[in-house]
Amino acid sequence: MHIEKFQKSLVFSSALFAAVLTPGCGLVTEDLDPCPEELRLKFKDAFLKETDAFQYEVNSINVWAFDPQGAPVWSGRVSGPELKDENFFLQTTLGEGTYDFVAWGGLEDNESFELATYTPASKEDLEVKMQTLDEDGKYVSRTRLQGVYNGVLNNVEYKADPLNPNIKEVTVQMYKDTKDIRVMLQHLDGKAIDEKDFSVTITDANSVYAWDNTLLPSPVVTYEPWNTKYGVVTTPDPENAETRDITTIASLLFELSTGRLMEDSNAILTVHRNWDDRDIIRIPLVDYLLLIRGYYGNIPDQEYLDLQDDYSMVFFIDSSSNWYLAAGIYINGWAVVPPQVKDF
């Protein structure tokens, strides 16, 4: 009997001790502050990169919360150095309930994209549109697009408990919509390539985004290079090192930016030979970019396109300035064999 009484006393004492160490949460007194009740948001990038690039790439975050009926109930905004802290979180003022969150990143001081409104009446109002040039009815983008990021987190349940600490932290994954694409032409025989000889474009209808990052109907945009570089690389011939023979490779690099790439899009990459007005390369861009998806694991096509934001493509040009398909293509450093090219 004495042992049983001692055990009950020990359990009571332990509970009392825990209550004392949690002011305001286990003991009800008039002098203690109420228990903390808070729903926090953290943000994480969703890229195929070794480290979380969110704190280095995103300069602003706007986020909205909606109740189960779709009405906006809270919004928050952060920009500047605060986002560079790896421990950054955004504190909400939301009470108990279930919420959907929509976040857009990188819109502050962004000349490439514009949000329809910062005071939405519904999720559908959070539409983002790319800024393009209208040149005689042709929509053109020839600038390096400033990064824009989207994140959605649905059905977040938060329950408040006035007697216990209740800090809930959830993470919103942010997907980068803008893509950097570099296209390099290399002459196999080392022959010089004049910048005026070739032009490169990408066409796609991907300039308007819904709140959930799906593409809305939009006109076809012609993406032109924002930068072009000519270069010559000389390397010793490994088979004739004693004679000091060198191999000269002339290259022309085009740097372009596009909006979000979709697995079912009709994005077309064209390399045009200017002097005789002929397309020497005209391929379905997404189909080619997906040729290297398998090197990154078993990732669905659309997820891969969303996780990858940087592509490099190398095409080889023969002595007649035509595409030399037999040499293959290098995409992000991987050598691939071109698929059968069809007419568009």
Side-chain angles (χ1 to χ4, degrees), residues 228-300:
T228 303
K229 295 179 182 178
Y230 172 75
V232 176
V233 178
T234 57
T235 58
D237 187 342
E239 297 182 0
N240 298 285
E242 295 181 358
T243 62
R244 296 186 178 182
D245 290 340
I246 61 174
T247 299
T248 301
I249 301 175
S251 63
L252 192 58
L253 176 66
F254 301 88
E255 296 184 280
L256 305 92
S257 292
T258 77
R260 188 184 184 202
L261 297 173
M262 305 296 292
E263 60 180 320
D264 60 351
S265 76
N266 192 32
I268 303 298
L269 169 67
T270 302
V271 177
H272 189 75
R273 197 168 60 202
N274 295 328
W275 72 75
D276 61 353
D277 194 26
R278 181 188 170 198
D279 296 341
I280 64 167
I281 300 173
R282 193 165 186 267
I283 59 173
L285 175 63
V286 170
D287 289 353
Y288 275 66
L289 297 180
L290 289 174
L291 291 175
I292 63 170
R293 175 186 56 79
Y295 294 112
Y296 296 89
N298 188 23
I299 305 175

Side-chain angles (χ1 to χ4, degrees), residues 23 27 34 53 65-66 80 104 106 113 126 132 192 201 205 218 263 299 329 341:
L27 288 177
F66 298 85
W104 283 106
F113 293 87
L126 294 175
T132 58
T201 60
S218 65
E263 60 180 320
I299 305 175
I329 307 173
V341 179

Side-chain angles (χ1 to χ4, degrees), residues 12-26:
F12 176 78
S13 299
S14 299
L16 180 61
F17 180 69
V20 171
L21 290 181
T22 312
C25 299

Side-chain angles (χ1 to χ4, degrees), residues 133-205:
L133 301 173
D134 186 348
E135 299 181 349
D136 297 326
K138 178 182 178 181
Y139 296 90
V140 177
S141 174
R142 61 172 63 95
T143 62
R144 186 173 189 181
L145 298 175
Q146 295 173 253
V148 66
Y149 309 77
N150 175 268
V152 174
L153 189 62
N154 291 320
N155 298 318
V156 176
E157 294 186 8
Y158 175 58
K159 294 183 179 180
D161 186 347
L163 297 179
N164 290 296
N166 189 24
I167 298 177
K168 181 170 185 175
E169 191 171 88
V170 295
T171 300
V172 181
Q173 284 214 324
M174 304 296 294
Y175 291 85
K176 186 177 182 181
D177 285 335
T178 46
K179 311 296 177 181
D180 289 324
I181 299 179
R182 288 175 293 277
V183 177
M184 178 176 285
L185 306 181
Q186 287 192 347
H187 253 311
L188 291 173
D189 59 2
K191 179 181 175 182
I193 307 178
D194 198 309
E195 289 186 30
K196 70 177 185 298
D197 289 345
F198 297 96
S199 57
V200 174
T201 60
I202 295 171
T203 56
D204 200 1

